Amino acid sequence: MTEIELSTEEKILKAAEEVFMRDGYDGSRMQDIADVAGINKALLHYYFRSKDKLFEKVFDAKIQSFFPKMGEKFSQDIPFLDKIHIFIEGYMDLLLKNPYLPLFVLNTVNNKDKSEFIKKLPIELSRQVAQSYYVEFKKGNVRELNPAQFIMSLMGMCIFPFLAKPILLDMFKADNDTFDKLMEERIQELKHYVTLIVTP
Amino acid sequence: MTEIELSTEEKILKAAEEVFMRDGYDGSRMQDIADVAGINKALLHYYFRSKDKLFEKVFDAKIQSFFPKMGEKFSQDIPFLDKIHIFIEGYMDLLLKNPYLPLFVLNTVNNKDKSEFIKKLPIELSRQVAQSYYVEFKKGNVRELNPAQFIMSLMGMCIFPFLAKPILLDMFKADNDTFDKLMEERIQELKHYVTLIVTP
DNA sequence: TATAAGTTTAACCAAATGGTTAAATATGTT
DNA sequence: AACATATTTAACCATTTGGTTAAACTTATA
């Protein structure tokens, strides 16, 4: 493990990401971010003029991962169902590594004051899934369904547990490790579900 | 339509619900709530001593509906699948009437400062579904599955579109009415999905 | 060494906000 | 009328917070 000396800018962005994701925009304090970054508030404003500017930088990077660009994977010439399975694996993995991501993104896009940022979201995923689906449907390999409804279900099934995690921990009387195991197990379960849904 | 004169307390609670649900706890201002209720700030504090106390009153009522008490319906002696269908209808209907509910509840439950409120959530739903499932499983009427995973999927599929609504409107280039129609349509689609998932 | 950029410190400011208080007024009750 | 409760008004307070400023110090580079 090589010791990497982060630049001040990187330290700030990392700290801002942590604090914004944990406390939300309104709940975050510039002083908090400065503390986490190990610098002072003056330097924070020296690098990023305002809270808004800093937030935008952090958010831009995050929304990209929330709607993953599965372009490469979806353009592969493999059956639709296999693509969905790959999506589930990759996405659940991302969520396990970024459990605060969903609430952060969903709050931001639902925030009237921050709605400017919505434009930047990639609508590619939807298009790719739909296109890939129709190709396969014509071959008779998948059942007839509405791709829009399907993708909402797919994302909902993946994301919801991470949004409701505190409730679920309480419900199942589980701790963090148990939850992660439940999510690992969930990958297989979801693959099974979509197979049943998609197969003719 | 009879004109009902709301008491001041009711006016406040209704206003608080509206503002808290729209702006979240941190984003809400006592002055805003007073304005919406058509009273002044002093009177607001006269009825509910603090922002926290007022919030708690609103939240208590809301979390009850987020995890619906389907007790009566689930105790009926009808097939498991039918119960789930009834759940989907009732829950989607609730969400269509309270589109801000999910984000509000999930934010609160994920807020460290508000974690005291989590205790009050009803874990009944999970127990009821699981029990109802096992009864039916023994009769061989449903496929083997993990009820915990199933209920996360069910709730996720219902709730997610309302959380991601601003993104979806953008994605599908839709307006509010189109979205509602999509959700109406979704009720049938979800019934179909769960049938495929549950049927042996 | 001189210069410029990066960094720290600490004080400061204006605005917003939750909450309080006191006095005046309105309304209804006994 | 007398009394209590509900409501308004407006001023006020303490704290938090985003943001600024200026002066000093450090580091690297020309």
Side-chain angles (χ1 to χ4, degrees):
Chain A
M1 196 104 170
T2 41
E3 281 291 338
I4 304 281
E5 185 68 17
L6 291 174
S7 76
T8 303
E9 188 171 345
E10 288 169 327
K11 278 195 291 184
I12 293 176
L13 284 172
K14 203 181 156 197
E17 177 185 320
E18 180 185 326
V19 175
F20 278 136
M21 295 250 281
R22 194 188 54 210
D23 300 335
Y25 182 84
D26 285 330
S28 294
R29 305 286 155 238
M30 294 298 268
Q31 188 61 60
D32 268 18
I33 297 173
D35 290 346
V36 173
I39 56 154
N40 56 59
K41 205 175 55 159
L43 193 58
L44 196 57
H45 282 93
Y46 176 80
Y47 273 87
F48 302 88
R49 294 208 344 235
S50 69
K51 189 181 182 182
D52 254 50
K53 292 242 197 307
L54 177 56
F55 181 82
E56 191 176 351
K57 273 268 161 57
V58 173
F59 179 74
D60 274 5
K62 286 294 149 187
I63 187 131
Q64 299 289 341
S65 56
F66 185 73
F67 279 90
K69 28 186 182 339
M70 306 293 278
E72 319 84 49
K73 283 165 187 166
F74 269 91
S75 59
Q76 288 178 55
D77 190 23
I78 56 176
F80 178 73
L81 189 57
D82 289 352
K83 290 182 191 177
I84 299 300
H85 283 190
I86 290 172
F87 173 87
I88 291 173
E89 281 171 13
Y91 203 45
M92 289 293 285
D93 197 54
L94 171 83
L95 292 171
L96 275 165
K97 283 173 188 149
N98 302 273
Y100 292 123
L101 177 67
L103 196 60
F104 174 73
V105 171
L106 292 176
N107 267 321
T108 305
V109 298
N110 274 284
N111 187 328
K112 206 162 52 79
D113 297 335
K114 298 269 158 304
S115 57
E116 340 130 33
F117 300 155
I118 301 190
K119 300 166 201 159
K120 297 173 181 170
L121 63 91
I123 56 173
E124 266 304 287
L125 179 65
S126 167
R127 209 190 47 73
Q128 280 159 3
V129 173
Q131 196 201 359
S132 180
Y133 164 78
Y134 283 122
V135 169
E136 200 86 351
F137 176 64
K138 273 176 200 152
K139 291 194 228 159
N141 295 336
V142 293
R143 192 175 68 75
E144 180 172 12
L145 53 79
N146 181 336
Q149 298 285 3
F150 176 73
I151 196 170
M152 286 189 277
S153 304
L154 182 61
M155 293 197 74
M157 288 192 289
C158 288
I159 290 169
F160 179 74
F162 295 91
L163 292 165
K165 183 173 170 181
I167 310 185
L168 298 175
L169 289 185
D170 198 81
M171 248 187 187
F172 304 143
K173 301 186 193 332
D175 56 23
N176 274 308
D177 286 343
T178 315
F179 179 83
D180 283 3
K181 274 174 206 149
L182 198 64
M183 289 305 107
E184 286 291 344
E185 190 184 306
R186 185 165 179 77
I187 296 174
Q188 303 312 318
E189 191 96 357
L190 290 186
K191 284 191 199 171
H192 197 164
Y193 286 5
V194 297
T195 305
L196 292 170
I197 291 172
V198 164
T199 305
Chain B
M1 194 104 166
T2 42
E3 282 288 339
I4 304 280
E5 184 68 17
L6 291 175
S7 75
T8 303
E9 188 170 344
E10 288 168 328
K11 278 195 291 185
I12 293 176
L13 284 172
K14 203 181 157 197
E17 177 185 320
E18 180 185 327
V19 175
F20 278 135
M21 294 252 278
R22 192 188 56 210
D23 301 334
Y25 183 83
D26 286 329
S28 294
R29 306 285 154 238
M30 293 299 267
Q31 188 60 61
D32 268 18
I33 296 174
D35 290 347
V36 172
I39 56 153
N40 55 59
K41 204 174 55 158
L43 193 58
L44 195 57
H45 282 92
Y46 175 79
Y47 272 87
F48 302 88
R49 292 206 350 232
S50 69
K51 188 181 183 182
D52 254 51
K53 292 243 197 304
L54 178 56
F55 181 83
E56 191 176 350
K57 274 267 159 58
V58 173
F59 179 75
D60 273 6
K62 286 293 151 189
I63 188 134
Q64 299 290 341
S65 56
F66 184 73
F67 279 89
K69 28 185 179 337
M70 306 293 276
E72 319 83 50
K73 282 163 188 167
F74 267 93
S75 59
Q76 287 178 54
D77 191 22
I78 56 175
F80 179 72
L81 189 56
D82 290 352
K83 291 182 190 175
I84 299 300
H85 283 190
I86 291 173
F87 173 87
I88 291 173
E89 281 172 12
Y91 204 43
M92 289 292 286
D93 198 54
L94 171 84
L95 293 171
L96 275 164
K97 285 173 186 149
N98 302 273
Y100 293 123
L101 178 67
L103 195 60
F104 175 73
V105 171
L106 293 175
N107 267 321
T108 306
V109 148
N110 275 283
N111 187 328
K112 206 160 55 79
D113 297 336
K114 300 268 158 302
S115 57
E116 340 129 34
F117 299 156
I118 300 190
K119 301 166 200 159
K120 297 172 182 171
L121 63 92
I123 58 172
E124 267 304 288
L125 179 65
S126 167
R127 211 190 46 75
Q128 281 159 3
V129 173
Q131 196 201 357
S132 179
Y133 164 78
Y134 283 122
V135 169
E136 200 86 352
F137 176 63
K138 274 175 197 152
K139 291 193 229 159
N141 296 336
V142 292
R143 192 175 68 74
E144 181 172 11
L145 52 78
N146 182 335
Q149 300 284 2
F150 176 72
I151 196 168
M152 286 189 276
S153 304
L154 182 61
M155 294 198 72
M157 288 192 289
C158 288
I159 291 169
F160 178 74
F162 295 91
L163 292 165
K165 182 172 171 182
I167 309 184
L168 298 175
L169 289 185
D170 198 81
M171 250 186 185
F172 305 144
K173 300 184 193 334
D175 56 23
N176 274 308
D177 286 343
T178 315
F179 179 82
D180 283 3
K181 274 176 205 148
L182 198 64
M183 289 305 108
E184 286 292 345
E185 189 184 306
R186 185 166 179 76
I187 295 174
Q188 302 312 319
E189 191 95 358
L190 289 186
K191 283 191 199 170
H192 197 165
Y193 286 5
V194 296
T195 305
L196 293 170
I197 292 172
V198 165
T199 305

